[in-house]
Amino acid sequence: MNKNFRLRQWQEEAIQKCLNWFIEENIDKRFLINAAPGTGKTICACSISKKLFELNKIKRVIVIAPRSEIVNQWSEEFRTITNRTMLKITSEKEDLGLDLCSTWSSVQNSINLYKNICKNHPTLIICDEHHHAAIQAVWGESADKAFEFAKYVIVLTGTPIRSDGNKPIWFSYSLDGKKLEHPSNGSYVLDYGKAVDLKYCRPIFFHRHEGKFSIKLKENDDSIKISGTEKIESTKLDSAIRKSLDFYTLARSPQYCSDGKTPDLNSYQSTMIDWGIEKLNEARYRLPNAGGLVIAPNIVVAEYMAKIIKMKTKNEVVLVHSKKNNSENLINAFRHSNKDWIVSVAMISEGVDIKRLRVLIYLPNSQTELFFRQAMGRVVRSVGAEDDSRAYVIMPTHKIFEEYARRVESEMSSVIKDLDYQKIKKKKCPKCEKECNLSAKICDFCNFEFTQNSSLIKKKNLDFELTLEKALRMGGIARQMDITENEVLDSEKNYSKIRKEILESGDARMIEALKIFPDESLIKLKNLLNKIT
């Protein structure tokens, strides 16, 4: 471990409590660390591993994480703290005597390998984002078989309760599934509010982005008004179209100029981006290299949002999604750069550590609280003890999201919540890090020339008029589905296989459907067919 590396107080407490649970009490082989996203669970678990190696209690460590990018992060952190090499595996291989790291989805391909390692060597299993291992789900069943003979298990989570009510393996839950009943001596809990008070995480503030869509059905008809708090009652529309024209669907539906290619800079999404740019400028007063993240519902919307940001900022935008072969490298490059924005489709929603992110524009398909909190965790990570920046989420006015936001806000102390109303008075120079007046054009200490930012926010009534055809172009009946978080992940994993099977089938109608159906639509279709077969 780096000699200058210092653990946080909560990490030291959790390490001691875990070692006491494993070695002294020796009641149960599983220890739970339930800490808010961004507090440093990875470092804590790696440090526990190091202690167990030093005490000669284990010979091997196996880490299971949700995504390939997070697996890479684990390998780096593990080596830094333990000075041991961790091998990333995707399918069953011979045992090379190394510590291993794999995604949850890959466990089922290596069950025998893991089982034999656990049988032959005292092994610590670290389960990252444990909510993925739901009982009866394929991943949960695979993990249960693979790690049956593990000596110790450390479970890491920031969201132990799944939104769908399913219960992850290995722990006891209340009958309603809303409360974890693991012994307190075998757990360490650090909620988001306490993490903010201790300055492990940055306080987060939510901008509910309002708007009203006016849908003109026919040239001579009156428009139907749709806002985030109202339901369409019009008898002029059948139920399927009413469902396709709900506010949140329209909030995720790109709008273009008459050429059908150029993004409309007067669209609802464009005004969200205005707010995002404004908040990123504010964040950069206190964290000069702060970055912004857009979570989009699909690749089409991601490309659309990236184009708008580029048009407004004149800067290149990093775009990552499952169909880009170099997405992991792009994420890593963004992490270590000073670039403003990264746009993602479900690739930076949980576990991915980019500490300089401070602004989130939130437009996902998933509407679960689990996904909401994981996404929020991307922008609250502190970069150090001197970090006094603030984090911001720009999200559509949407009842479900507002409920989640209120619960997060209720966890923060009144002193922290009051920060949202206090204007930032000074800005840090990105070169010498000295404090300067907000109006300063040049740093008084090192002569650094500050970038002058002009406000993009227009104070006007956010009323967006659309024709029915335009409203249905992206938010149409075929696209309006209740996509779950698991289906989004499933589409990333299996879409290429399904596409390959369809192309090889030679069925012209199915091949044509590939041009119409987005990734998650095919996964939804697959799941529906599974129910009737």
Side-chain angles (χ1 to χ4, degrees), residues 57-111:
K57 295 296 181 180
I58 58 171
K59 297 295 183 183
R60 303 286 287 278
V61 170
I62 298 173
V63 173
I64 309 300
R67 294 177 183 276
S68 182
E69 165 66 16
I70 304 171
V71 166
N72 293 336
Q73 288 177 193
W74 266 100
S75 181
E76 293 173 10
E77 294 278 15
F78 190 79
R79 183 178 179 82
T80 299
I81 293 172
T82 67
N83 201 31
R84 292 171 65 95
T85 299
M86 181 168 275
L87 176 67
K88 174 184 173 181
I89 65 171
T90 56
S91 59
E92 184 166 0
K93 297 179 180 179
E94 61 180 322
D95 183 8
L96 300 178
L98 296 171
D99 299 311
L100 303 176
C101 193
S102 171
T103 61
W104 280 98
S105 59
S106 297
V107 171
Q108 58 190 311
N109 299 323
S110 307
I111 291 176

Side-chain angles (χ1 to χ4, degrees), residues 25 55 57 82 86 92 118 132 153 172 247 269 276 289 316 330 419 421 493 504-505 510 519:
E25 298 191 37
L55 293 170
K57 295 296 181 180
T82 67
M86 181 168 275
E92 184 166 0
C118 293
H132 286 290
V153 177
S172 297
F247 178 82
Q269 300 81 21
N289 69 336
E316 292 295 329
L330 288 171
L419 285 175
Y421 302 100
K493 178 185 174 186
E504 289 180 353
S505 73
M510 290 293 291
D519 304 10

Side-chain angles (χ1 to χ4, degrees), residues 281-332:
N281 289 338
E282 287 184 22
R284 287 194 159 191
Y285 288 146
R286 306 310 305 159
L287 186 66
N289 69 336
L293 166 66
V294 178
I295 295 182
N298 53 59
I299 293 173
V300 172
V301 177
E303 292 173 341
Y304 167 80
M305 298 291 276
K307 285 180 182 177
I308 293 178
I309 294 172
K310 183 178 179 180
M311 291 168 72
K312 289 178 178 290
T313 65
K314 312 301 181 187
N315 294 323
E316 292 295 329
V317 178
V318 178
L319 176 64
V320 293
H321 52 71
S322 59
K323 290 186 181 178
K324 294 192 76 167
N325 295 328
N326 62 339
S327 282
E328 289 183 18
N329 291 333
L330 288 171
I331 292 171
N332 194 49

Side-chain angles (χ1 to χ4, degrees), residues 437-450:
N437 291 326
L438 284 183
S439 59
K441 296 182 179 180
I442 298 176
C443 175
D444 293 332
F445 302 92
C446 69
N447 294 322
F448 174 83
E449 189 173 342
F450 292 105

Side-chain angles (χ1 to χ4, degrees), residues 8 38 199-202 286-291 335 353-358 378-389 428 433:
R8 291 170 169 171
K199 298 185 177 180
Y200 301 151
C201 291
R202 304 312 310 142
R286 306 310 305 159
L287 186 66
N289 69 336
R335 177 184 291 114
D353 184 1
I354 306 176
K355 289 185 172 65
R356 67 186 188 90
L357 286 175
R358 282 297 173 271
R378 298 320 99 210
V379 296
V380 298
R381 284 162 150 71
S382 177
V383 299
E386 301 302 316
D387 184 3
D388 60 358
S389 59
K428 287 183 181 179
E433 298 187 349

Side-chain angles (χ1 to χ4, degrees), residues 255-451:
Q255 300 301 325
Y256 300 92
C257 297
S258 56
D259 63 5
K261 297 179 181 179
T262 306
D264 181 359
L265 294 186
N266 293 312
S267 66
Y268 176 85
Q269 300 81 21
S270 180
T271 59
M272 285 189 80
I273 289 170
D274 287 344
W275 271 95
I277 293 172
E278 189 88 1
K279 290 302 181 184
L280 185 56
N281 289 338
E282 287 184 22
R284 287 194 159 191
Y285 288 146
R286 306 310 305 159
L287 186 66
N289 69 336
L293 166 66
V294 178
I295 295 182
N298 53 59
I299 293 173
V300 172
V301 177
E303 292 173 341
Y304 167 80
M305 298 291 276
K307 285 180 182 177
I308 293 178
I309 294 172
K310 183 178 179 180
M311 291 168 72
K312 289 178 178 290
T313 65
K314 312 301 181 187
N315 294 323
E316 292 295 329
V317 178
V318 178
L319 176 64
V320 293
H321 52 71
S322 59
K323 290 186 181 178
K324 294 192 76 167
N325 295 328
N326 62 339
S327 282
E328 289 183 18
N329 291 333
L330 288 171
I331 292 171
N332 194 49
F334 180 84
R335 177 184 291 114
H336 300 292
S337 74
N338 287 323
K339 294 191 74 64
D340 295 358
W341 289 93
I342 186 166
V343 180
S344 162
V345 182
M347 292 195 75
I348 311 181
S349 56
E350 63 179 352
V352 177
D353 184 1
I354 306 176
K355 289 185 172 65
R356 67 186 188 90
L357 286 175
R358 282 297 173 271
V359 176
L360 169 63
I361 296 178
Y362 191 67
L363 282 173
N365 273 324
S366 176
Q367 297 182 39
T368 67
E369 185 166 8
L370 185 153
F371 193 92
F372 183 86
R373 288 199 175 241
Q374 287 291 344
M376 186 194 82
R378 298 320 99 210
V379 296
V380 298
R381 284 162 150 71
S382 177
V383 299
E386 301 302 316
D387 184 3
D388 60 358
S389 59
R390 307 170 189 179
Y392 303 95
V393 175
I394 294 94
M395 62 186 194
T397 300
H398 186 39
K399 183 179 179 181
I400 295 173
F401 294 161
E402 289 182 352
E403 288 178 3
Y404 301 158
R406 277 193 290 271
R407 285 202 276 270
V408 172
E409 290 170 332
S410 70
E411 295 175 14
M412 294 191 293
S413 66
S414 58
V415 174
I416 296 296
K417 283 185 281 190
D418 284 346
L419 285 175
D420 195 27
Y421 302 100
Q422 298 174 16
K423 289 186 177 180
I424 296 171
K425 297 178 182 178
K426 294 277 188 177
K427 61 183 176 184
K428 287 183 181 179
C429 173
K431 185 176 179 181
C432 68
E433 298 187 349
K434 298 288 188 181
E435 297 284 349
C436 302
N437 291 326
L438 284 183
S439 59
K441 296 182 179 180
I442 298 176
C443 175
D444 293 332
F445 302 92
C446 69
N447 294 322
F448 174 83
E449 189 173 342
F450 292 105
T451 301

Side-chain angles (χ1 to χ4, degrees), residues 202-213:
R202 304 312 310 142
I204 194 165
F205 303 105
F206 298 91
H207 167 67
R208 285 86 163 165
H209 197 64
E210 297 180 358
K212 181 170 285 188
F213 294 97

